[in-house]
Amino acid sequence: TLNSASANGFDAEFDPVAGDGGTIRILDGASINALRQNSSIALVAPRIEQGGALRTAGSAALVAGEAVSMTMD
């Protein structure tokens, strides 16, 4: 579930799923860019493998978990 009621952030809840829930893999040489002022990057999965580059002019969250509730402002 992703709620984006505010222009300044968002609330999200990620519930457990059957199976392993998946993996986010950022491979060597890959890049994720969020370069506008106050931009954000959020990656949420049971497993995150970070081998590339993340660049942001705000905040970045890499959250590994089976169930997550988070708010970013």
Side-chain angles (χ1 to χ4, degrees), residues 1-40:
T1 305
L2 174 63
N3 298 312
S4 185
S6 169
N8 297 323
F10 70 85
D11 296 317
E13 290 187 24
F14 300 89
D15 298 321
V17 297
D20 70 3
T23 299
I24 294 175
R25 284 189 188 93
I26 303 168
L27 302 176
D28 184 36
S31 67
I32 298 175
N33 300 307
L35 302 177
R36 289 190 180 194
Q37 184 175 3
N38 300 318
S39 59
S40 298

Side-chain angles (χ1 to χ4, degrees), residues 4 22-23 26 28 36 38 41-42 46-48 50 56 61 64 71 73:
S4 185
T23 299
I26 303 168
D28 184 36
R36 289 190 180 194
N38 300 318
I41 296 170
R47 181 175 172 88
I48 300 171
Q50 163 46 341
T56 180
T71 300
D73 291 323

